[in-house]
Amino acid sequence: MISERFTSYWTRFWMRYAGLSPTGRLATRLAVQFAPPFQLREYLRMLNPQGYISPEAILYHSKLRLGRHVFIGDRVMIIEREGGGAIELGNGVSVWGDSQLEVGQGGEITLGDRTRVNRGVQLLSYLAPIHIGRDVGLSTNCLLYSFNHGIAAGRPYLEQPLETNGPIIIDDHAWIGMGSIILSGVHIGEHAVVAAGSVVHHDVPAGAVAAGNPARVGKRRQAANDETDGPGLGSEQGSAEARKLVER
C-alpha cells in the first residue's frame, strides 16, 4: 500500500512543474495520479502560482489570460472561434467540470477574482462581451448567451445572422441560481440573486432577488451591503482549508 506521505510528496513535486505548456500539462497528469477527485482537488491550485488546470480540460484559445491560483476542472472547454476576443480569468477563479467558455465574432469573456463557475455552465460570447465581476457564483447548468439567431420569416434560423441586445454584465458578489438563463443585454447588479430556473432578459438592480420566467424582482436582500455571501471558494476560510491540505 502506498503511504500518504509518498503520495503527498509526489503530488507536490509534479505540481511544481504544472502549467499550460505540453510539459506542464504532462506534469499535471502525473501530479493527479494519487489525488482525490472533483472538488477535493481544489487544494492543488495552491501548489503552483499558475493554479490547477485539469489534464482533461480542452484549451483552444490564443488569447487566454489566467490569474494566479485558478482552478480549471475536468472536461472544461475554452474555445476561440473566428473573430473571438480574449478570455480572462482573474485570481482564484474556479471553473468546474463540463463547463464551456466560447468566444467568436467580437465576443470576449472576463471573470473577476474568486468567481465560481459550477458544473455544466455555458458562457458563449458572440457580437457582445460577457463581463462578470468579483466573487460571483454561477450555479450548475446556468446558460449565458450574449447573442441570438435572427428569426425573420421565410428563412431557416441557421441561415440568418446572429443578433444581440448588448453585453451581459454581472456585478460583484451576485449569485445566479441553478439552471438560470441570462440573455443578451442584461445587467445584474451587485449582491443581486437570481433564483434557480429563472430566465432573465431585463436588468436586475443591485441587492434585488429576481425569479421566474420571465424573471421579475420580488424583493430586496436585507444585507445587500455585505462584503460576501459566505465563505465560498477563494475566501479566507476556503484558503485556510487549502493551506491545511497543502501542509499535511
Side-chain angles (χ1 to χ4, degrees):
M1 183 176 179
I2 300 176
S3 70
E4 182 178 349
R5 181 176 180 181
F6 172 82
T7 59
S8 177
Y9 174 81
W10 174 279
T11 299
R12 287 186 281 113
F13 175 82
W14 286 112
M15 280 301 299
R16 295 174 190 170
Y17 305 101
L20 289 175
S21 68
T23 302
R25 300 298 298 275
L26 176 61
T28 306
R29 186 174 294 277
L30 292 169
V32 301
Q33 290 301 305
F34 305 109
F38 190 42
Q39 291 185 339
L40 295 175
R41 290 185 178 180
E42 186 194 2
Y43 76 97
L44 297 177
R45 75 161 90 209
M46 303 304 295
L47 300 178
N48 187 309
Q50 297 183 65
Y52 170 77
I53 302 166
S54 168
E56 307 299 328
I58 297 173
L59 307 181
Y60 184 77
H61 201 292
S62 64
K63 297 181 284 290
L64 178 63
R65 298 196 289 266
L66 302 178
R68 294 171 59 85
H69 301 296
V70 300
F71 184 100
I72 298 176
D74 294 342
R75 298 174 302 282
V76 168
M77 294 189 294
I78 299 179
I79 304 297
E80 175 188 7
R81 301 190 69 176
E82 183 177 359
I87 293 180
E88 181 173 356
L89 278 57
N91 297 329
V93 166
S94 302
V95 183
W96 296 102
D98 302 296
S99 292
Q100 179 179 357
L101 283 65
E102 181 176 317
V103 294
Q105 297 186 31
E108 63 181 36
I109 297 172
T110 58
L111 304 179
D113 294 351
R114 303 185 310 281
T115 281
R116 305 166 298 283
V117 178
N118 279 283
R119 290 178 66 88
V121 170
Q122 293 186 14
L123 305 177
L124 272 63
S125 176
Y126 287 72
L127 303 181
I130 297 175
H131 293 310
I132 298 177
R134 298 177 296 115
D135 190 41
V136 172
L138 300 179
S139 300
T140 303
N141 294 332
C142 287
L143 306 179
L144 284 72
Y145 286 22
S146 70
F147 68 97
N148 204 344
H149 287 277
I151 55 172
R155 293 176 59 190
Y157 82 95
L158 287 177
E159 295 179 4
Q160 300 195 36
L162 300 181
E163 301 174 345
T164 184
N165 291 322
I168 294 174
I169 300 173
I170 302 179
D171 290 337
D172 298 348
H173 312 303
W175 176 25
I176 312 301
M178 180 175 61
S180 294
I181 299 173
I182 313 298
L183 302 178
S184 68
V186 166
H187 183 180
I188 297 175
E190 285 190 355
H191 296 280
V193 174
V194 174
S198 298
V199 178
V200 185
H201 57 82
H202 292 298
D203 292 351
V204 178
V209 178
N213 180 8
R216 292 183 171 87
V217 174
K219 61 180 179 179
R220 298 185 64 84
R221 298 179 62 194
Q222 293 181 347
N225 61 346
D226 289 347
E227 180 61 23
T228 61
D229 295 316
L233 304 178
S235 67
E236 183 176 351
Q237 179 178 331
S239 296
E241 291 297 320
R243 288 194 295 270
K244 181 179 177 182
L245 286 165
V246 170
E247 293 167 358
R248 65 180 181 177

